[in-house]
Amino acid sequence: MARNRFDIDENLESPFDIKHFRRAMIYIRRQKKPMIVAFLLSALSAAIALSAPLILQHVVDVTIPEKAVGPLFGWSALMLATIVVSVVLATIRSRIMTRVGQDIIFEIRSDLFKHLQQLPFKYYDDRPQGKILIRVVNYVNSVSDVLSNGIINFILEMLNLIFIAAFMFAVDVRLSLITLAGLPVFLGIMLMIKTRQRRAWQAVSNKSSNLNAYLQESISGIGVTQIFSREKRNEGIFTRLAANFRKEWMRALRFNALIPFSVDNLATIVSALIFLVGLLALGPGEATFGVILAMSSYAARFWQPILNLSNLYNSFINAVAYLERIFETLDEPVTVSDVPNAKELPPVKGHVRFDDVTFAYDPGHNILEHLSFDVKAGESIALVGPTGAGKTTVVNLISRFYNLTGGQILVDGHDISQMTLKSLRSQMGIMLQDSFIFSGTIMDNIRYGRLDATEEEVIAAAKTVCADEFIREFEQGYQTEVNERGSKLSQGQRQLISFARTLLADPRILILDEATSSIDAKTERLLQQGLNELLKGRTSFIIAHRLSTVKNCDRIMYVSDKGIAESGSHDELIARRGLYYRLYTAQKMEA
């Protein structure tokens, strides 16, 4: 799929329409009360500010000609008061809307994170992590101001236009019509660039997503980059992606800059026409100098809301590109979820049965076909075979990380597709080859899957998997802080901590996917002693390439050709001299 590449733009699966904006209004309505207060403060501030030109007109036409010094000071004090009150009200409103904007960010981001945690593995298989992260962080930041201040400012600027137009027509109708004459020109410009401007900001969104995806991938793989001396090559790729982003950004800004440029020039032309018509065309006695000054002031004020509205329009066009991405993520279907009326899986004994199971990651390319086998409670099953044969797929299906293409998987006779995910997975312990360590203490990492575990239980689990000794060698012991992904730990230490985390959950069904691949032979022998005790009474599925680690399993299944090619104990398969025998013999010769 194109969207799993950092150098290919993502195509929107659904274009923006008014429904998206209605959905955004859900977050706005939750902040209704503070937004109403902010709106009233803004309206009051604007109304007070609009009285200033009338005061100026009266002072120029009446107070100054009459040389009334006392009233002049009074009118000056009143004008100063309008400015002070207007600024104070605007400041209060700004503080309210800052809080509203942050609350909107919090709610959208929380909804996104909640949804991302529910999405199936398939979603993450198809996308770079960077393209997901940018939606939760950057895009949400970009739309917050439009969804908070933008709505109020739009209403206020529209009201400002109405108020200013009313004041203008009250002062002089003919000069007011001159002010309005520039509107058709401005609207024509807006209509002309609307579609191209939106596409330009969609392109910016694409290039930003690509850049972020490559940056995240490069940071995660910095070790491999340095091992193979790929720094210069990677710099070239990053430079190309950054240059593409800069190119699209500058192109989008040209459309944005065209609007204030048009407004400024139209406002200047209109102001000049007011003076020209007022002083020359109307003639003496037709319009006083105070009227002309008031009208030029109102004309400037009239075009200011239009400029503000055009800036809001720019912000809205930018935000639309981000809203599309945000809602596309929120609309991503949770394909692996609890079915309607899903039941709680009761405490399990561990009987697992595959009944004619077929599975494909992508339609038409089956990984498993008509797979059937039965595992009794307490049995230990080893899955072996060539890379890519489907061993990990089998255990992923038991945990229901993917939906089946066909057939059923039953645990203690219960179809797992009809059980709640939480009740199923809470009774399983899964140890993957990629041992992920979270930032925090070693104690926190082991306790991750069972938060109510005591320190004694955590330490007991660590001792069982032979992790206690190396943990106590750290100065802070179990309280040692580790970085994201456990960069301070060796791969073997990370696996042992993950082992302890899995075993602490005390699962009835245990899945070990190459769980000992990074552990040295001595530690593995010690670990095996603890595991043999732990596996008693539990159903276990063990994937291993080192066949010496699975010789003692109750049954070994050789996965090949979309199914189970051979099945039996180690001795039975050796005696059969088939696929397992050849694989085991080859490993012994290599050793």
Side-chain angles (χ1 to χ4, degrees):
M1 300 177 67
R3 59 186 175 188
N4 69 354
R5 291 274 302 276
F6 65 80
D7 57 346
I8 297 179
D9 294 341
E10 295 179 289
N11 292 320
L12 283 172
E13 296 177 1
S14 59
F16 179 85
D17 57 35
I18 195 62
K19 293 179 182 178
H20 289 343
F21 189 69
R22 291 197 192 106
R23 286 180 64 179
M25 290 296 292
I26 294 173
Y27 298 98
I28 297 170
R29 283 196 292 269
R30 293 174 186 170
Q31 305 296 326
K32 181 170 59 177
K33 290 183 179 179
M35 290 181 74
I36 290 174
V37 172
F39 171 75
L40 293 175
L41 290 174
S42 298
L44 183 58
S45 174
I48 292 172
L50 282 174
S51 63
L54 291 179
I55 295 173
L56 179 63
Q57 178 192 348
H58 182 82
V59 168
V60 171
D61 285 345
V62 179
T63 307
I64 293 177
E66 291 179 354
K67 299 180 180 180
V69 177
L72 180 61
F73 280 108
W75 286 115
S76 299
L78 181 60
M79 180 170 282
L80 178 62
T82 62
I83 295 172
V84 171
V85 172
S86 179
V87 169
V88 169
L89 293 177
T91 301
I92 297 172
R93 177 257 192 192
S94 177
R95 290 183 176 179
I96 292 173
M97 292 312 299
T98 298
R99 178 62 181 267
V100 167
Q102 288 302 310
D103 287 345
I104 290 175
I105 286 177
F106 173 80
E107 291 180 358
I108 296 177
R109 193 167 285 151
S110 296
D111 287 349
L112 273 171
F113 184 72
K114 179 181 178 181
H115 189 68
L116 285 171
Q117 290 193 106
Q118 296 172 341
L119 290 176
F121 282 13
K122 185 70 169 64
Y123 177 80
Y124 298 96
D125 293 342
D126 290 340
R127 291 165 177 79
Q129 294 177 16
K131 291 194 176 186
I132 300 172
L133 290 174
I134 197 171
R135 299 186 182 205
V136 181
V137 182
N138 302 49
Y139 291 177
V140 174
N141 286 341
S142 298
V143 303
S144 64
D145 192 57
V146 172
L147 297 182
S148 54
N149 282 306
I151 303 299
I152 287 183
N153 287 341
F154 176 79
I155 298 172
L156 283 173
E157 299 303 346
M158 292 300 295
L159 288 175
N160 268 342
L161 280 177
I162 295 171
F163 288 155
I164 293 170
F167 275 84
M168 284 195 308
F169 278 95
V171 174
D172 191 287
V173 175
R174 291 165 296 183
L175 296 180
S176 299
L177 292 175
I178 293 174
T179 303
L180 297 177
L183 273 179
V185 178
F186 174 72
L187 293 176
I189 294 172
M190 293 285 285
L191 290 173
M192 184 174 60
I193 69 171
K194 179 183 69 172
T195 301
R196 285 181 288 177
Q197 187 180 17
R198 176 171 177 258
R199 288 174 180 168
W201 282 105
Q202 281 182 336
V204 170
S205 173
N206 283 331
K207 302 308 179 186
S208 174
S209 180
N210 294 346
L211 185 64
N212 196 73
Y214 185 70
L215 180 61
Q216 192 278 334
E217 179 181 292
S218 298
I219 292 172
S220 297
I222 190 65
V224 178
T225 295
Q226 294 181 357
I227 288 170
F228 289 97
S229 301
R230 278 266 308 195
E231 293 90 344
K232 286 294 183 183
R233 178 71 180 272
N234 289 2
E235 285 175 21
I237 296 173
F238 183 82
T239 299
R240 174 171 57 82
L241 293 172
N244 289 340
F245 173 77
R246 179 179 61 186
K247 176 184 175 182
E248 295 300 338
W249 178 268
M250 295 304 296
R251 178 170 170 266
L253 280 185
R254 283 197 290 271
F255 286 108
N256 276 23
L258 182 60
I259 295 177
F261 172 80
S262 302
V263 171
D264 287 341
N265 281 279
L266 286 171
T268 302
I269 293 171
V270 166
S271 295
L273 286 174
I274 287 175
F275 277 96
L276 183 65
V277 174
L279 294 174
L280 300 178
L282 296 182
E286 292 288 333
T288 65
F289 187 62
V291 168
I292 294 173
L293 275 179
M295 286 302 302
S296 64
S297 177
Y298 279 126
R301 289 171 180 264
F302 178 82
W303 283 96
Q304 186 59 47
I306 292 178
L307 177 60
N308 293 340
L309 285 170
S310 66
N311 289 333
L312 283 173
Y313 175 78
N314 280 340
S315 298
F316 178 75
I317 290 295
N318 303 353
V320 162
Y322 301 131
L323 276 173
E324 290 167 326
R325 304 296 189 191
I326 290 170
F327 287 132
E328 183 188 45
T329 303
L330 287 171
D331 289 339
E332 190 70 31
V334 181
T335 54
V336 179
S337 61
D338 294 341
V339 298
N341 302 316
K343 298 177 182 178
E344 293 287 321
L345 182 65
V348 301
K349 296 178 181 178
H351 179 202
V352 177
R353 181 159 65 92
F354 274 54
D355 185 7
D356 196 32
V357 168
T358 296
F359 175 75
Y361 290 104
D362 297 308
H365 301 281
N366 291 341
I367 304 297
L368 301 172
E369 287 184 350
H370 307 294
L371 176 61
S372 297
F373 62 82
D374 194 271
V375 177
K376 297 177 182 178
E379 266 194 297
S380 58
I381 305 297
L383 299 172
V384 302
T387 300
K391 301 183 295 295
T392 299
T393 299
V394 171
V395 295
N396 281 340
L397 295 179
I398 297 172
S399 309
R400 206 182 157 217
F401 290 135
Y402 299 89
N403 289 325
L404 300 180
T405 306
Q408 283 184 315
I409 298 176
L410 300 101
V411 173
D412 290 354
H414 301 283
D415 184 349
I416 63 172
S417 67
Q418 303 302 311
M419 303 293 110
T420 64
L421 291 173
K422 183 176 181 180
S423 66
L424 171 67
R425 293 174 184 169
S426 64
Q427 300 189 66
M428 291 186 174
I430 305 171
M431 172 68 187
L432 302 176
Q433 183 177 5
D434 182 15
S435 306
F436 194 94
I437 300 297
F438 297 90
S439 56
T441 66
I442 293 176
M443 179 72 73
D444 291 338
N445 268 279
I446 296 176
R447 195 184 269 147
Y448 187 84
R450 187 182 157 201
L451 299 179
D452 61 345
T454 65
E455 287 192 16
E456 291 74 18
E457 289 173 323
V458 171
I459 294 172
K463 286 181 177 179
T464 301
V465 301
C466 305
D468 180 71
E469 182 178 348
F470 85 80
I471 292 174
R472 291 189 184 277
E473 290 177 356
F474 291 116
E475 185 176 348
Q476 301 298 322
Y478 283 86
Q479 299 306 318
T480 300
E481 293 281 341
V482 291
N483 297 333
E484 180 186 354
R485 303 192 71 88
S487 59
K488 292 182 178 179
L489 304 170
S490 70
Q491 179 62 26
Q493 289 172 335
R494 290 200 293 271
Q495 280 199 313
L496 289 175
I497 290 174
S498 297
F499 234 129
R501 178 168 60 200
T502 301
L503 302 184
L504 182 64
D506 192 25
R508 301 309 306 163
I509 299 175
L510 189 62
I511 295 172
L512 308 178
D513 187 353
E514 287 292 332
T516 61
S517 60
S518 298
I519 299 172
D520 61 82
K522 179 182 176 182
T523 304
E524 185 178 14
R525 284 194 296 270
L526 294 172
L527 176 61
Q528 196 66 46
Q529 298 172 11
L531 283 179
N532 289 338
E533 290 298 318
L534 187 74
L535 294 178
K536 288 181 179 179
R538 289 182 171 83
T539 303
S540 57
F541 293 85
I542 304 171
I543 298 175
H545 283 100
R546 289 202 301 243
L547 301 184
S548 59
T549 63
V550 297
K551 287 171 59 177
N552 297 325
C553 287
D554 296 324
R555 203 182 336 162
I556 299 172
M557 295 182 181
Y558 191 100
V559 182
S560 179
D561 295 327
K562 303 179 182 179
I564 306 298
E566 292 181 349
S567 178
S569 68
H570 172 76
D571 292 338
E572 290 171 347
L573 294 179
I574 291 295
R576 194 177 300 174
R577 291 179 170 268
L579 296 171
Y580 176 79
Y581 170 80
R582 289 196 290 272
L583 182 62
Y584 182 77
T585 303
Q587 284 196 7
K588 284 195 69 176
M589 291 178 65
E590 290 174 3

